[in-house]
């Protein structure tokens, strides 16, 4: 049991949320957690005060999740008649404290029957006897708490936007405490040091409210005027002010409402206004109010459902109320075979589904924790048309003549686990080493063949058998660093030339073990190779480093099939024979190794029989060879505070990739620019040797956190390419977020093979108006591409008349562009830069704002020795084209004639823009 | 003040419970840390020391250049394959104005010979840069020589390039 901050507890303070997790359960097993009040474990789900189901990981662990919100306090939304039905549901904290005083809570954990067919309704699967029972007391509330409320101090969890002012109530604070109450955008978790950015002022500007706590220790204060409210989900922070120089960051003694829980919701309601459509998604803070989505994280990422009025046929026979069902995904044939609905989300939501605006229909249809899997969403209009929730009666069937379905021919949505999480496969461990194996390798002589290996095994441990089947292979090569732990070797040219005699080699290749483990646990043979002879005070040696990767592939080919590459030994005596899928290979590297992975791909193309390398990735690569990758998926990590490759040269590899193809840029490439990340921290061995990033840099990330996010992103990319786990594409697009990188400033960079480009940096089609100016610039900042620089000093616009051959955008999914703030002083000193995007088609115009879909990065101040010191990396913002047809806008996606960026708020600024495209 | 019926832990839990009773079990205790307070910042421990980057700052100035047949020391750097295949092996040696960095990094100093980047330039401490030519084909009568940090050539290129005359080879 933990509190909302993740700390273990032995008693629940009345009014607090109860989070539970588990250790050492059976691995990969679904469990039901039941909460009862009293000494006895509740015998049925119906008798439970709260229940949830979650699946254990490969270690048998389940991370903490919320089992009981706010000790049953639901506040003013509680109808009196419900009190009798739910005796442990309360209107106020005082009521909860009185009712729970002296009571014992009991949590029981029950294994849920497995259903390999997937045909049994999950809630009908039998549960076993409790495997674990925990009892603990309820303690009186002593610690402070804050929550959203009405003027009377009655708790609110949600409120209609603009209906009434929002108040915040605090309890149990110390007399005379000086607090600053901030309403901030909801985030997954809060840790000391997080920035506090209040949004309650005009146009979401900070306007926190100061409170001096009275003698009672309680207060209720108005924090958000009706007129300034914006739709969205929020958390509330009571920040203890530390003098005038207070930094407005979260401190240890601050109190936060909705820590890891769903935040307070400001919603909108509008008057009621082909059977398959998008339904699952996430709400947005403003127009278009909803973004449909196909992928969700299994924690902290609730699935919302909504019905876009554009989808509702005229004369639709259903009522205005319907139920949202979340069901296991079924193919078209499976739906045809059975249209029975069996909700897996813990209950259906009966809700308005016909409104003038999509946000009149949206509701959370599944809260975390959610089991990893594939799901469809059905809007079931029931047995009779319902005009109210009370009139609704489900028929528990999908009827394609009236009901709506997000699924069937495409998966409705996928729930994925954090790619940092270990998979279910036991991890085998081994290594191989042969000194001076290669008499020559390019310019070098006597080069070693050495690597460490993690692989999917039948049992965890060293040398255990390989798991049945053929497994794809991933090879990573480290970059340059010290090669010898003993002083007097590196930097001595007689050693540097030959690398002999070092009594203690630096184990640079052991710096990625976490990544190898993660991949192996998901069925991938993961190999980190030692480029010892190519490391230290040596030149770049990119060709040799590239060839070393290919040499290791030759070895693995041999260990898979001994008839190939017979000059190699089989270090493992046939253990991997037939277990390596040499048709699925991904290469990667860090720094010089990061350019070598690109080089390996390029030099492989020149081989008589090339290896089947299907993807390439680089962490903070150098770029001395100016390789131009062809159409191969590429992923690059740019550490914004890189103190070694401080020019973020990987951006140039990204920019050039695909440019030489017959159809330029017809390639998929991705990247992330990680603010605060350094060069060395991605390698655990290097991290121990010091921080190359400047001391005192912005957005500092501790080494362990940086390793975690790096492993998560590389693992996600590799699993996409080698395991076809396409759900993680949305993570690389910046649309899917996981705990392993929560709270970090990570700007996605993405380009899709299928696209239709309107702007490649020439500015040829761009027409500025008002005060907006457009200029084409070559290779701005760290880039190696053309871009346009757009500046404005008051209202202005840049308009594109879409060429006739590109006006049908109906086969694309998004309007995509790269953008960054320049170093101009006209950009906002605080707050975000933004502009409006308008699409015109069929005589109709629909607009939204760039900031709804991604932040426009401000320059990262590189305070080491780098030139230029302020670096501008263009991030990719992807605006779903559906945004422009939402709510019956009338815009015709098959005939878009005009695209316009309008600049008015902020009233001035300057940005780089490139690659404006309709894109998949 | 908890117990569990989990069979693997039940005996230990019982012992814990017994100890609590023996000590006079207190009533429910609230945590000293408010349940709604934020998680502590990631325990990063002491920040690792920052590596000194000053040697990589600014432009890379050079003071002298010479071109000659490689000595045995230089041949080892060039490698056996070069020695075996080069028709007329030559080493370009440049002295830098400041000492070269003392740590091995991924960025490195490179020579720019008539503007061409020699990415496999060796850094020989304390202040020598060495690159190799297999023959004279890239040597003009008058040659421009500069140095820079790879990946940041534009900002770090020597402000005052040196001139090398073909007639000075071997001197």
């Amino acid at each position: 049991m933990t509190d909302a901050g993740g700390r273990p507890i032995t008693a629940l303070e009345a009014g607090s949320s109860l989070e539970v997790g588990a250790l050492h359960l059976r691995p990969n097993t679904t469990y039901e957690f039941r909460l009862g009040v009293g000494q006895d474990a509740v015998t049925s789900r119906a008798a439970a005060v709260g229940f949830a189901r979650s699946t254990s990981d490969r270690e048998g662990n389940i991370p903490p999740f919320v089992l009981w919100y706010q000790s049953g306090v639901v506040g003013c939304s509680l109808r009196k008649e419900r009190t009798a039905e739910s005796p442990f549901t309360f209107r106020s904290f005082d009521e909860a404290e009185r009712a729970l005083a002296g009571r014992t809570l009991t949590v029981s954990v029950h294994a849920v029957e497995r259903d390999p067919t997937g045909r049994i309704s999950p809630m009908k699967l039998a549960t076993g006897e409790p495997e674990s029972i925990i009892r603990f007391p309820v303690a009186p509330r002593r610690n402070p708490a804050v929550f959203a409320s009405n003027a009377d101090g009655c708790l609110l969890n949600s409120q209609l936007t603009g209906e009434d002012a929002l108040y915040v109530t605090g309890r149990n604070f110390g007399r005379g405490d000086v607090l600053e109450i901030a309403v901030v955008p909801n985030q997954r978790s809060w840790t000391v040091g997080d920035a506090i950015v209040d949004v309650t002022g005009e146009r979401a500007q900070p306007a926190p409210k100061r409170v001096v706590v009275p003698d009672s220790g309680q207060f209720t204060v108005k924090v958000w005027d009706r007129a300034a409210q914006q739709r969205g989900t929020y958390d509330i922070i009571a920040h203890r002010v530390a003098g005038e120089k207070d930094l407005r960051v979260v401190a240890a003694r601050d109190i936060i409402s909705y820590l890891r829980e769903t935040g307070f919701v400001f919603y909108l309601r509008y008057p009621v206004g082909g059977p398959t459509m998008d339904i699952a998604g996430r709400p947005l803070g403003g127009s278009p109010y909803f973004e449909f989505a196909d992928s969700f994280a299994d924690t902290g990422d609730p699935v919302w459902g909504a019905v876009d009025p554009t989808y509702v046929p005229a004369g639709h026979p259903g009522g205005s109320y319907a139920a949202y069902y979340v069901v296991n995904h079924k193919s078209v044939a499976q739906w045809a075979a059975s249209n029975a609905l069996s909700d897996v989300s813990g209950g259906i939501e009966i809700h308005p589904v016909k409104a003038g605006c999509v946000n009149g229909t949206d509701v959370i249809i599944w809260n975390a924790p959610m089991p990893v899997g594939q799901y469809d969403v059905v809007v079931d209009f029931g047995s009779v048309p319902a005009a109210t929730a009370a009139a609704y009666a489900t028929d528990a069937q999908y009827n394609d003549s009236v009901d709506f379905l997000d699924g069937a021919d495409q998966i409705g949505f996928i729930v994925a686990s954090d790619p940092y999480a270990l998979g279910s496969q036991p991890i085998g461990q081994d290594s191989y080493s042969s000194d001076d194996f290669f008499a020559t390798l390019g310019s070098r002589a006597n080069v070693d063949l050495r690597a460490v290996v993690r692989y999917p095994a039948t049992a965890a441990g060293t040398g255990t058998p390989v798991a049945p089947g053929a497994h794809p292979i991933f090879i990573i090569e480290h970059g340059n660093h010290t090669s010898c732990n003993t002083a007097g070797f590196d930097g001595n040219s007689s050693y540097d030339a030959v690398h002999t005699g070092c009594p203690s080699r630096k184990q640079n290749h052991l710096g990625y073990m976490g990544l190898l483990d993660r991949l192996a646990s998901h069925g991938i043979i993961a190999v980190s190779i030692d480029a010892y002879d190519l490391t230290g005070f040596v030149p770049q040696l990119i060709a040799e480093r590239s060839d070393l990767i290919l040499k290791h592939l030759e070895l693995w080919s041999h260990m898979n099939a001994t008839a190939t590459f017979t000059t190699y030994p089989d270090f493992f005596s046939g253990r991997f024979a037939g277990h390596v899928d040499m048709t699925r290979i991904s290469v990667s590297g860090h720094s010089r190794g990061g350019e070598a992975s690109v080089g390996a791909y390029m030099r492989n193309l020149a081989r008589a029989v090339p290896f089947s390398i299907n993807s390439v990735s680089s962490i903070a690569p150098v770029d001395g060879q100016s390789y131009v990758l062809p159409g191969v998926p590429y992923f690059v990590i740019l550490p914004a505070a890189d103190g070694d490759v401080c020019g973020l040269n990987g951006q140039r590899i990204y920019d050039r990739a695909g440019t030489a193809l017959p159809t330029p840029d017809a390639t998929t490439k991705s990247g992330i620019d990680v603010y605060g990340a350094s060069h060395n921290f991605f390698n655990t061995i290097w991290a121990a040797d010091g921080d190359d990033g400047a001391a005192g840099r912005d957005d500092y990330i501790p080494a362990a956190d940086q390793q975690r996010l790096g492993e998560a992103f590389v693992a996600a990319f590799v699993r996409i390419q080698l395991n076809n786990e396409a759900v993680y594409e949305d993570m690389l697009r910046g649309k899917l977020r996981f705990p392993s990188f929560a709270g970090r400033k990570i700007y996605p960079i993405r380009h899709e093979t299928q696209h239709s480009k309107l702007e490649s940096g020439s500015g040829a089609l761009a027409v500025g108006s008002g005060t907006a100016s457009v200029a084409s610039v070559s290779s701005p900042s760290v880039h190696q591409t053309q871009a346009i620089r757009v500046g404005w000093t008051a209202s202005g616009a840049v308009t594109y008349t879409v060429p006739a051959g590109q006006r049908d955008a109906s086969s694309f999914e998004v309007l995509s562009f790269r953008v960054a703030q320049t170093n101009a002083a006209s950009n906002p000193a605080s707050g975000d830069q933004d502009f409006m995007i308008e699409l015109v088609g069929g005589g109709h115009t629909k607009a939204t704002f760039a900031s709804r879909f991604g932040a426009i990065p401000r320059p990262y101040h590189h305070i080491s020795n780098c030139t230029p010191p302020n670096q501008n990396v263009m991030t990719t913002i992807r605006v779903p084209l559906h945004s422009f047809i939402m709510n019956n806008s009338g815009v015709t996606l098959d005939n878009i004639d005009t695209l316009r960026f309008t600049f008015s708020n902020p009233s001035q600024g300057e940005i780089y823009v490139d690659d404006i495209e309709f894109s998949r | 003040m908890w117990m569990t019926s989990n069979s693997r832990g039940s005996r230990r839990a019982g012992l814990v419970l017994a100890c609590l009773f023996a000590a006079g079990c207190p009533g429910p205790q609230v945590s000293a840390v408010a349940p709604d307070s934020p998680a502590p910042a990631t325990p990063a421990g002491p920040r690792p020391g920052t590596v000194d980057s000053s040697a990589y700052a600014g432009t890379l100035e050079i003071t002298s250049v010479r071109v000659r047949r490689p000595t045995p020391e230089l041949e080892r750097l060039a490698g056996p394959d070069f020695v075996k295949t080069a028709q007329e092996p030559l080493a370009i040696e440049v002295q830098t104005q400041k000492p070269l960095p003392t740590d091995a990094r991924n960025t490195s100093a490179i020579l720019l010979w008539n503007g061409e980047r020699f990415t496999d330039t060796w850094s020989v401490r304390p202040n020598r840069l060495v690159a190799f030519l297999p023959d004279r084909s890239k040597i003009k009568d008058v040659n421009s020589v500069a140095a820079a940090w790879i990946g940041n050539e534009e900002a770090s290129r020597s402000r005052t390039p040196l001139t090398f005359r073909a007639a000075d080879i071997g001197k």
Side-chain angles (χ1 to χ4, degrees):
Chain A
M1 301 180 317
T2 71
D3 65 18
R7 293 163 290 256
I9 56 172
T10 55
L12 182 73
E13 276 198 57
S16 294
S17 291
L18 172 64
E19 299 204 11
V20 298
L23 300 172
H24 309 309
L25 298 174
R26 278 179 274 161
N28 305 310
T29 303
T30 300
Y31 284 89
E32 182 169 291
F33 290 70
R34 295 178 193 159
L35 172 69
V37 179
Q39 289 287 341
D40 299 327
V42 289
T43 54
S44 70
R45 196 165 54 247
V49 173
F51 81 96
R53 286 184 174 185
S54 186
T55 302
S56 59
D57 64 16
R58 61 192 297 278
E59 310 289 349
N61 301 331
I62 294 175
F65 60 88
V66 180
L67 185 60
W68 201 26
Y69 287 90
Q70 296 150 333
S71 305
V73 179
V74 297
C76 299
S77 60
L78 179 63
R79 297 193 303 269
K80 285 210 168 95
E81 61 272 23
R82 270 196 66 196
T83 312
E85 299 165 12
S86 310
F88 293 103
T89 305
F90 312 106
R91 280 180 66 86
S92 71
F93 289 95
D94 290 332
E95 193 180 306
E97 190 154 344
R98 282 193 300 272
L100 295 171
R103 308 295 288 258
T104 295
L105 301 179
T106 300
V107 175
S108 55
V109 185
H110 310 252
V112 178
E113 176 190 15
R114 287 180 191 270
D115 172 28
T117 68
R119 292 182 178 173
I120 303 173
S121 168
M123 302 317 277
K124 290 181 179 170
L125 293 170
T127 52
E129 290 298 307
E131 292 192 10
S132 182
I133 298 174
I134 305 169
R135 298 181 182 86
F136 51 95
V138 178
R141 183 80 192 192
R142 291 287 179 267
N143 280 300
V146 285
F147 51 89
S149 73
N150 61 17
D152 298 328
C154 188
L155 178 141
L156 293 170
N157 286 317
S158 62
Q159 184 171 310
L160 185 62
T161 309
E163 185 180 52
D164 202 352
L166 178 68
Y167 293 78
V168 165
T169 295
R171 296 161 48 92
N172 296 85
F173 282 90
R175 181 168 60 111
D177 283 356
V178 180
L179 305 174
E180 210 165 66
I181 307 299
V183 182
V184 299
N186 172 236
Q187 69 181 48
R188 178 188 294 274
S189 64
W190 288 94
T191 55
V192 171
D194 288 350
I196 301 173
V197 184
D198 178 83
V199 294
T200 57
E202 287 295 322
R203 297 192 311 278
Q205 292 299 301
K209 308 302 180 293
R210 189 163 285 210
V211 172
V212 178
V213 178
D215 292 351
S216 66
Q218 301 196 17
F219 62 87
T220 296
V221 59
K222 185 165 82 169
V223 295
W224 207 343
D225 287 328
R226 285 191 313 167
Q229 291 169 0
Q230 298 209 356
R231 178 177 188 263
T233 57
Y234 301 96
D235 293 336
I236 295 161
I237 300 177
H239 174 62
R240 295 176 194 272
V241 179
E244 289 309 309
K245 292 186 177 175
D246 187 87
L247 294 175
R248 304 304 190 272
V249 296
V250 170
R253 294 183 64 237
D254 291 352
I255 299 298
I256 304 176
S257 188
Y258 317 112
L259 272 166
R260 290 198 288 196
E261 304 166 22
T262 306
F264 177 82
V265 179
F266 265 128
Y267 60 88
L268 289 175
R269 185 187 298 144
Y270 282 72
V272 168
T276 59
M277 58 181 68
D278 288 323
I279 298 172
R282 301 179 183 89
L284 295 170
S287 177
Y289 298 107
F290 200 81
E291 181 173 2
F292 293 110
D294 298 327
S295 54
F296 294 85
D298 59 352
T299 62
D301 188 12
V303 180
W304 291 63
V307 175
D308 176 9
T310 310
Y311 282 141
V312 180
H316 180 264
S320 54
Y321 275 75
Y324 286 99
Y325 275 85
V326 179
V327 301
N328 287 327
H329 169 65
K330 293 196 286 190
S331 66
V332 174
Q334 288 169 322
W335 275 111
S338 169
N339 68 346
L341 297 179
S342 153
D343 184 83
V344 298
S345 66
I348 59 176
E349 291 74 27
I350 301 167
H351 199 264
V353 294
K354 291 180 180 173
C357 182
V358 66
N359 50 16
T361 70
D362 65 3
V363 63
I364 293 177
I365 58 176
W366 202 356
N367 255 315
M370 302 180 293
V372 168
Q374 300 177 341
Y375 304 95
D376 292 346
V377 183
V378 171
V379 174
D380 172 31
F381 283 88
S383 50
V384 292
T388 65
Y392 176 81
T394 183
D395 59 8
Q397 290 181 339
Y398 167 62
N399 302 300
D400 61 8
S401 60
V402 59
D403 297 334
F404 300 153
L405 170 62
D406 183 359
D409 56 345
Q410 58 181 16
I411 298 164
F413 66 91
I414 299 175
V415 174
S417 60
D418 193 328
Y420 183 75
L422 290 169
S424 58
Q425 194 81 54
I427 301 169
Q429 307 179 8
D430 226 318
S431 61
Y432 55 86
S433 178
S434 180
D435 284 358
D436 302 338
F437 183 83
F438 302 106
T440 59
L441 185 70
S443 69
R444 309 322 307 151
N446 300 320
V447 174
D448 299 350
L449 179 65
R450 184 179 307 109
V452 61
V453 186
R454 294 290 182 266
Y455 59 93
T458 56
T462 303
T464 52
V466 183
H471 310 285
I473 183 167
F474 166 82
I475 291 189
I476 187 169
E477 183 183 76
H478 64 82
N480 200 48
H481 199 67
T482 307
S483 72
C484 184
N485 288 318
T486 311
F489 285 85
D490 283 306
N492 179 336
S493 62
S494 61
Y495 166 81
D496 297 334
V498 295
H499 279 63
T500 56
C502 169
S504 171
R505 292 175 182 146
K506 193 81 172 178
Q507 304 281 301
N508 293 298
H509 64 305
L510 301 188
Y512 312 100
M513 299 313 297
L515 174 61
L516 302 192
D517 281 346
R518 267 144 199 93
L519 293 175
S521 73
H522 286 282
I524 296 166
I525 298 169
V527 183
S528 178
I529 68 174
D530 186 2
Y532 165 71
D533 295 285
L534 313 176
T535 299
F537 276 83
V538 294
Q540 296 282 310
L541 299 178
I542 299 302
E544 288 83 351
R545 283 176 159 272
S546 304
D547 287 348
L548 187 61
I549 293 173
L550 298 176
K551 293 293 182 188
H552 280 266
L553 284 176
E554 291 177 352
L555 167 70
W556 279 94
S557 175
H558 176 72
M559 293 196 293
N560 182 57
T562 52
T564 64
F565 301 101
T566 54
T567 57
Y568 289 89
D570 183 348
F571 288 105
F572 304 121
S573 305
R575 191 195 315 156
F576 285 90
H579 286 303
V580 189
D581 183 351
M582 294 300 291
T583 68
R584 289 185 291 163
I585 299 169
S586 188
V587 295
S588 184
H590 183 183
S591 205
R592 288 188 192 178
E595 187 177 24
S597 64
V598 177
Y601 185 86
M602 301 301 292
R603 294 168 75 86
N604 180 55
L605 295 177
R607 291 171 69 100
V609 183
F611 289 111
S612 299
I613 300 174
N614 77 1
S615 52
V616 183
S617 52
S618 309
I619 303 167
V622 295
D623 177 38
Q625 307 303 311
S626 302
Y627 290 125
V628 181
L629 281 168
V632 60
Y634 179 62
F635 172 70
V636 62
I637 295 179
L638 307 175
D642 194 322
D644 185 339
V645 186
C646 74
L648 306 189
N649 298 155
Q651 181 63 61
R652 305 194 310 198
I653 300 176
Y654 177 97
D655 287 340
R656 291 193 306 268
T659 54
L661 291 168
T663 302
D665 281 359
T667 188
T668 298
K669 49 187 179 179
S670 313
I672 52 170
D673 184 22
V674 186
Y675 276 25
S678 69
H679 188 89
N680 286 355
F681 279 5
F682 288 114
N683 179 309
T684 56
I685 303 292
W686 297 2
D689 287 347
D691 182 5
D692 56 285
R697 62 183 178 268
D698 291 341
D699 309 308
Y700 173 81
I701 304 174
D705 292 8
Q706 189 176 317
Q707 283 143 23
R708 181 165 51 241
L709 75 86
E711 290 169 16
F713 271 95
V714 176
F717 174 75
V718 173
R719 287 170 61 186
I720 292 166
Q721 306 304 331
L722 297 185
N723 287 354
N724 199 28
E725 296 182 71
V727 64
Y728 293 115
E729 295 277 22
D730 274 354
M731 178 175 154
L732 304 187
R733 293 176 180 127
K735 299 291 187 184
L736 183 59
R737 297 172 181 84
F738 290 100
S740 56
F741 53 94
R744 302 300 175 195
K745 280 187 195 167
I746 296 177
Y747 295 95
I749 312 160
R750 174 77 175 188
H751 187 271
E752 309 277 346
T753 300
Q754 292 176 289
H755 68 279
S756 172
K757 193 168 296 210
L758 301 174
E759 176 63 77
S760 58
S762 70
L765 295 179
V767 177
S769 59
T771 68
S773 62
V774 180
S776 178
V777 292
S778 181
S779 297
S781 191
V782 301
H783 284 274
Q784 192 169 42
T785 186
Q786 265 192 314
I788 58 169
R789 187 178 58 223
V790 179
W792 67 99
T793 54
S795 293
V798 175
T799 301
Y800 291 85
T801 299
V802 180
Q806 294 177 266
R807 292 188 173 185
D808 184 356
S810 58
S811 63
F812 297 105
E813 292 182 0
V814 298
L815 173 72
S816 166
F817 51 86
R818 294 203 284 173
V819 62
Q821 297 182 39
T822 70
N823 298 333
S826 57
N827 285 313
S830 65
D832 295 327
Q833 188 52 276
D834 201 4
F835 56 88
M836 190 166 72
I837 306 162
E838 294 173 281
L839 273 192
V840 184
H844 297 274
T845 302
K846 181 74 174 176
T848 186
F849 283 88
S851 62
R852 303 248 190 268
F853 302 94
I856 301 172
R858 62 178 70 242
Y860 188 78
H861 184 48
H862 211 305
I863 56 176
S864 62
N865 301 293
C866 213
T867 305
N870 290 306
Q871 297 179 329
N872 322 84
V873 175
M874 290 186 282
T875 190
T876 303
I877 291 182
R878 294 165 53 88
V879 183
L881 286 170
H882 195 107
S883 307
F884 300 98
I885 63 169
M886 195 83 88
N887 300 329
N888 284 313
S889 74
V891 170
T892 51
L893 289 182
D894 59 356
N895 188 21
I896 300 293
D897 54 65
T898 305
L899 163 67
R900 184 177 299 111
F901 291 170
T902 300
F903 306 94
S904 61
N905 188 12
S907 60
Q908 59 177 6
E910 188 180 82
I911 54 177
Y912 294 123
V913 182
D914 190 20
D915 290 340
I916 304 174
E917 303 170 339
F918 297 125
S919 174
R920 293 292 288 176
Chain B
M1 187 82 178
W2 56 270
M3 57 185 176
T4 173
S5 65
N6 184 308
S7 58
R8 280 177 290 183
S10 57
R11 179 167 297 179
R12 185 185 298 170
L15 287 173
V16 170
L17 206 60
C19 293
L20 284 173
F21 280 121
C25 212
Q29 295 293 304
V30 298
S31 168
V33 179
D36 292 337
S37 60
T42 307
R47 281 196 188 190
T50 304
V51 177
D52 179 13
S53 296
S54 57
Y56 295 87
T59 57
L60 188 52
E61 302 301 335
I62 56 178
T63 58
S64 69
V65 56
R66 72 172 168 177
V67 178
R68 57 173 171 160
R69 278 192 71 85
T71 61
E73 177 217 5
L74 296 177
E75 282 186 344
R76 279 197 297 277
L77 295 180
D81 193 53
F82 175 85
V83 172
K84 193 166 67 180
T85 60
Q87 292 179 346
E88 188 184 359
L90 292 170
I92 306 169
E93 294 175 271
V94 164
Q95 299 288 129
T96 59
Q97 191 177 67
K98 291 183 191 170
L100 292 164
T102 56
D103 59 334
R105 291 200 183 184
N106 290 274
T107 193
S108 62
I110 58 170
L111 285 179
L112 303 169
W113 180 266
N114 293 325
E116 181 181 346
R117 301 152 75 244
F118 279 64
T119 57
D120 279 341
T121 298
W122 286 81
S123 295
V124 180
R125 287 160 61 184
N127 62 346
R128 191 160 48 127
L129 300 178
V130 182
F132 298 98
L133 294 170
D135 54 43
R136 293 184 179 230
S137 60
K138 290 184 177 173
I139 297 181
K140 302 175 184 174
D141 289 343
V142 179
N143 303 275
S144 160
V145 187
W149 297 110
I150 194 167
N152 198 23
E153 290 91 338
E154 211 165 293
S156 64
R157 174 194 294 259
S158 315
R159 278 174 299 193
T160 313
L162 301 179
T163 298
F164 181 82
R165 297 177 187 283
D168 292 334
I169 290 177
K171 292 181 181 173

